[in-house]
Amino acid sequence: MKIPEPRGPISTALFSALAVTAGTDDAAAGVEELRRHVAPHLGATTDIIGDDDVQLALFCLYELHYSGLEGVGDEWEWEPGLIHVRRLLERPFEEALRAAAQSAAGELDLPPAAKMTSDAVADVLFGLAATDTGPSVSRYVAKKATLDQLKEFLVHKSVYQLKEADPHTWAIPRLAGRPKAALVEIQADEYGGGRPERMHSALFARTMRGLGMDDHYGAYLDAVPAVSLAAVNMMSLFGLNRRLRGAITGHLAIYEMTSSQPNRLYGNGFRRHGFDAEVTHYFDEHVEADAVHEQIAGRDLAGGLVEAEPGLLGDVLFGATAVMAIDGRLSAHLLTCWENGESSLRAAVPAAA
C-alpha cells in the first residue's frame, strides 16, 4: 500500500521514521521523535475514534502486519520501539471501544457463562443483532443513493473489503477444536474455496472496476474519515492480540448475522442504476454465503469458544457490541452527509488510472 498523506503530528512523525532503515541510529531517533508526539496528542484529543491522526497512524502500523507499506522495509514490522508506540495508541482506543460497546449493549440479562451452551450463546448474539435498529445505509442505497453516493459507499468499504477476511484469520492459530474448524470453514469461503477469482476481495475489486474506480488496495485511503479507519483498526486490534480472541470471534459472528439482508439491498441499489451481475455479484454472493456463515459463526465459532472457555463470554459480547457501535456511528455519518447533500469523504475521489 502506498503511504498516505499524514493527518497530524503522529502520522507525520511515523512516516518520517519509516523512511529510513530499521535498526539504525536514524531509525531509533525517528521512533523516539514519534513517541514524543503521542502523549501530548492523546492528552488533547476528545474523541480517539474520530481522531484522524491517531486512526491513520494505527491503520498504517497495523498494515505492517498485512501487505506492508510501499518503500518500508519488512524489518519494521516487529521493531520494538514501533510496537511500543502502537501499544500506546491501542490502549485508549480499546478503552473507547469498550465504552461505546457498553452503551450499545445496554443491560444484558445473561445466565452464568459456565452454564451457557453454544446454542444459548448464539441466541444471545442473534438477539443483539435483532436490536440493531440504527440508521440503515442499505435501505438508503437501495432506494435513494445517487451514482456518486454509490461510489462513496464503495470508497468507505474498500478500506476493509479489498483485504476482506484477513483480520479474522489471525484468530485461527489462537483457537482449537470446534471453534477453530468453524473459523477455517468460514474463511475458506471468504478466500474463494481455492479459486482466486472467487475471493471476496477479488469480487469487490470487480465491483469497483465496474464503476470505473481504482481497485488497488488503499487507493482511496486519503479520502476516508477517521471512523472508517477505526472500523478496520478495531478488527486488527482484536485479531492481532491473543487476549482478545473472544472479541474477534464475537465481531465476526455479529458481522455475519447483520450482513445478508443489507447485501441484498446494496445489490438492489446498484441494479437500480442499471448495473448488472458483473457489479452486483459481490453483494449477491454475500446474501447466500452470510446466511450460512451466521449459523456457523454464532453456534460453532463464538458458541463453541464460550463452551470451551467460559471466561471469554464477556469478550465475545464486547466484540459483537463494538461492531454495532462503530458501524452505527459510521452509518450515521454517511446518512447525515448524504441527506444534507454533502460528501461523506474528506476529499474528492480521484479518477481511476
Side-chain angles (χ1 to χ4, degrees), residues 1 25 42 54 62 85 131 139 153 172 177 182 204 208 217 228 250 282-283 299 301 314 353:
M1 188 186 80
D25 290 343
L42 290 178
V54 170
Y62 286 136
V85 168
T131 66
R139 285 196 293 271
F153 170 70
I172 291 175
F204 189 83
M208 297 186 76
Y217 176 65
S228 295
Y282 171 83
F283 304 107
R299 302 182 191 284
L301 175 57

Side-chain angles (χ1 to χ4, degrees), residues 49 96-97 100 227 230-231 234 321-331:
I49 292 172
L97 289 174
V227 66
M234 170 175 59
T321 50
V323 178
M324 297 170 63
I326 302 306
D327 281 6
R329 178 167 169 171
L330 176 57
S331 296

Side-chain angles (χ1 to χ4, degrees), residues 35-107:
R35 190 188 62 78
R36 281 199 292 267
H37 287 288
V38 172
H41 188 89
L42 290 178
T45 189
T46 57
D47 176 18
I48 195 169
I49 292 172
D51 190 300
D52 274 303
D53 194 26
V54 170
Q55 294 303 330
L56 180 64
L58 262 178
F59 187 89
C60 290
L61 286 167
Y62 286 136
E63 197 58 34
L64 296 174
H65 299 287
Y66 291 101
S67 61
L69 298 172
E70 188 175 272
V72 176
D74 290 341
E75 295 80 10
W76 275 107
E77 180 183 6
W78 294 109
E79 201 283 324
L82 215 56
I83 296 297
H84 175 66
V85 168
R86 195 188 87 194
R87 293 293 295 127
L88 292 176
L89 298 175
E90 281 182 331
R91 290 188 188 105
F93 179 45
E94 182 179 339
E95 290 172 2
L97 289 174
R98 289 190 180 277
Q102 185 174 12
S103 177
E107 294 294 328

